[in-house]
Amino acid sequence: TPRGPTMSVLVPQLVVSVLVVSNCSSCCPPPDCTCEWTDWIDVSYPNSSDRNSGDYETFENILTNDPSWVCAKVENISCRAEKFPDIPIKDLGQKVECSVDTGLICNNRDQPIGGIIPMPVCLNYEISVCCTPNIPECITSTTTSTVSSPLVSTTSPISISSGPPSSTATTTMPPSSTTSSTLGTATTVPGTPAPIPSTASTSGTPA
Ligand SMILES: *[C@@H]1O[C@H](CO)[C@@H](O)[C@H](O)[C@H]1NC(C)=O
Ligand SMILES: *[C@@H]1O[C@H](CO)[C@@H](O)[C@H](O)[C@H]1NC(C)=O
């Protein structure tokens, strides 16, 4: 404990804070933003006797069917016919839109005669979507700059506390009365940032 306290007390605050900030980008476990596939969803059924009907597994209809449904961002979509789950849609001979923007749209009136079923009507389809995890780090990718700045400001106060061990500082002080007052102020700083627990583990690593 006794050795080298003076040097560490003089330099630390600036240097340590820089280290912690740079470390954070690499050491903090990056959130896993891999999208997750939902179960097969089927909320719409084509009415084969209505030319203006079709199958509409749209995100809008899914939400209407279940208002609590959450998909932060649709990154991918898979569409299949309920009766022919293993046959790619393109091989079914039906005209179907399957997109991450709207979901699945099949209009009876767009269907040709002579597809996999004799009637020119839509099969019943179901979809599965791959949703971005609903956490800020994964969703607000475009506003990265705004996100990063608050992170830096919260981290810097913590780095100060982790820097100079308070016990060492007090030990060194006895010699000069003037310096002790300066150190006293420095020692009080560490106490304040304590409330943030998650980042605390981070500050422990570099020390
Ligand atoms: C299907 O469409 C026909 C013709 O428009 C209509 O009479 C019938 O009620 C519809 N069936 C359902 C289940 O909506
Ligand atoms: C969508 O998922 C399929 C697998 O279901 C994959 O082959 C394809 O590459 C994915 N597309 C994108 C853009 O991730």
Side-chain angles (χ1 to χ4, degrees):
T1 357
R3 133 176 82 161
T6 328
M7 294 174 58
S8 63
V9 173
L10 294 176
V11 194
Q13 299 190 359
L14 292 175
V15 177
V16 173
S17 61
V18 171
L19 285 176
V20 171
V21 169
S22 61
N23 276 354
C24 190
S25 56
S26 55
C27 71
C28 297
D32 184 3
C33 290
T34 309
C35 66
E36 292 163 8
W37 288 99
T38 67
D39 288 338
W40 291 99
I41 301 171
D42 190 1
V43 298
S44 164
Y45 307 90
N47 181 343
S48 54
S49 51
D50 186 350
R51 186 95 182 130
N52 292 318
S53 175
D55 196 10
Y56 304 98
E57 307 297 338
T58 61
F59 306 139
E60 189 180 347
N61 281 347
I62 293 169
L63 269 176
T64 302
N65 182 70
D66 178 9
S68 69
W69 188 70
V70 173
C71 184
K73 179 169 175 263
V74 178
E75 289 190 27
N76 203 341
I77 184 171
S78 182
C79 300
R80 70 182 189 184
E82 180 200 13
K83 286 203 176 78
F84 308 97
D86 299 325
I87 303 179
I89 290 182
K90 62 177 171 53
D91 295 341
L92 293 175
Q94 296 224 308
K95 184 168 181 287
V96 175
E97 177 188 340
C98 175
S99 85
V100 294
D101 298 321
T102 51
L104 179 141
I105 293 176
C106 180
N107 297 307
N108 283 345
R109 61 176 174 275
D110 293 339
Q111 304 314 312
I113 297 176
I116 197 166
I117 52 170
M119 295 284 287
V121 295
C122 290
L123 291 161
N124 182 43
Y125 289 93
E126 49 192 13
I127 71 173
S128 173
V129 290
C130 201
C131 300
T132 307
N134 193 21
I135 56 177
E137 291 87 339
C138 296
I139 301 166
T140 60
S141 57
T142 44
T143 49
T144 314
S145 55
T146 4
V147 176
S148 60
S149 44
L151 285 178
V152 173
S153 62
T154 40
T155 337
S156 44
I158 293 174
S159 64
I160 300 177
S161 67
S162 68
S166 53
S167 58
T168 327
T170 351
T171 330
T172 337
M173 292 309 60
S176 60
S177 55
T178 330
T179 353
S180 63
S181 61
T182 323
L183 290 171
T185 22
T187 339
T188 41
V189 182
T192 13
I196 309 150
S198 56
T199 358
S201 58
T202 309
S203 62
T205 317

